[in-house]
Structures are given as C-alpha cells and as structure tokens.
Amino acid sequence: MKIAIGADHAGYRLKDEIVPFLQSLGHEIEDLGCDCNQSVDYPDYAVPVAERVAQGKADRGILICGTGIGMSIAANKVPDIRCALVHDMFSAKATREHNDTNVLALGERVVGPGLAQEIVRIWIETPFSGGERHVGRLNKVKQLEAANVIHP
C-alpha cells in the first residue's frame, strides 16, 4: 500500500516513529514533512496528503499534529476525503469498517509511539465492511459533498 504521511512541528517526532514502522510492514511511504520543531501551519501539510489520496496518488494518508484535531479539520475540507481522528484501537477498526476512512489523524501529545503504531496497524489492516447500511450512509455524505450543502 502507498501511504502519504505528513505532520506539523507538534507531530513530526511521532511521524518519524510511524514511517519506519510502516516500512517494516512492507508499505511504500511518501513523507511530505515537516521535519522540525519550528512552528509551521498544519493545513500546509494536511492538504497535500489529502490531495494525494483524493487523486489516487496514495492509497491512504496519515496526519499527525499535537492533538490531531487541526489536521483532521483541514483534511476533511478536501473532496473525497474521509479523515478520522483516532486515539484508541476500537475507533481505528470501526472507522475503517463503518466509514471507509482514507486518512487517519493522530495527536502526538495524546498517544505515545506504541499505541500509535498499534492504531496505525489496525487502521491499515482493517477493510471496509461494505455493509449496505454503511454504503448508504457514505453515499449520503458524498451527496452532501457534491451538493456543497455545508457552507462556512
């Protein structure tokens, strides 16, 4: 699987833990930064990762900031992105099975490297269930997105 990954200054250390972990599982990683602790703006990293996924240039995306909140908000502005902020293993599995998420957001200040790796592993390995009720709900989300019903 090709995975695009990005982080801001508050998430780059966890990103640097996740990248080799994913590579050890045999995944191809596109690291879009950042690699420093100097303050940067999370949308500058969330959007390129989300666009890679939306354009089919990556199968999935992972975003990391201090809490994961900012990254998930920014990523979900990109059409065809379903980004979930996850800090536990149950949600990692459920968000793939039920919501077919294609981007995962994590908070470095919320989860440690061991838990983050387990969340990522579960999220990567869990398939979408394809259940009729879940497909129907996702189709409604796509209709909302297409109609641009949600306005700022």
Side-chain angles (χ1 to χ4, degrees):
M1 187 178 299
K2 183 169 184 179
I3 301 166
I5 190 167
D8 70 1
H9 60 282
Y12 84 95
R13 287 176 299 275
L14 183 57
K15 176 182 65 74
D16 289 347
E17 298 273 343
I18 297 296
V19 168
F21 172 71
L22 287 167
Q23 290 169 329
S24 76
L25 297 175
H27 300 290
E28 179 185 349
I29 307 304
E30 182 180 10
D31 186 342
L32 299 173
C34 90
D35 294 311
C36 67
N37 62 3
Q38 294 174 346
S39 184
V40 297
D41 297 331
Y42 59 82
D44 296 341
Y45 299 91
V47 171
V49 167
E51 286 177 338
R52 294 282 197 303
V53 174
Q55 295 165 356
K57 294 178 181 176
D59 300 302
R60 304 255 185 98
I62 297 175
L63 296 166
I64 308 166
C65 64
T67 62
I69 297 167
M71 287 290 201
S72 64
I73 291 169
N76 279 314
K77 300 300 181 192
V78 176
D80 298 321
I81 293 303
R82 293 172 309 283
C83 178
L85 172 58
V86 175
H87 292 138
D88 64 88
M89 294 180 292
F90 175 81
S91 297
K93 183 176 174 93
T95 194
R96 282 290 308 134
E97 286 181 340
H98 298 185
N99 310 114
D100 195 20
T101 53
N102 51 13
V103 177
L104 174 68
L106 297 167
E108 180 177 308
R109 296 175 180 157
V110 181
V111 298
L115 177 56
Q117 288 177 2
E118 192 60 17
I119 289 168
V120 166
R121 184 190 62 74
I122 291 168
W123 185 75
I124 290 294
E125 293 176 357
T126 302
F128 175 51
S129 72
E132 186 176 330
R133 68 182 185 187
H134 302 304
V135 170
R137 292 168 184 158
L138 289 176
N139 286 336
K140 286 184 178 188
V141 170
K142 288 177 185 177
Q143 289 171 357
L144 287 170
E145 190 174 71
N148 199 18
V149 171
I150 303 169
H151 300 285

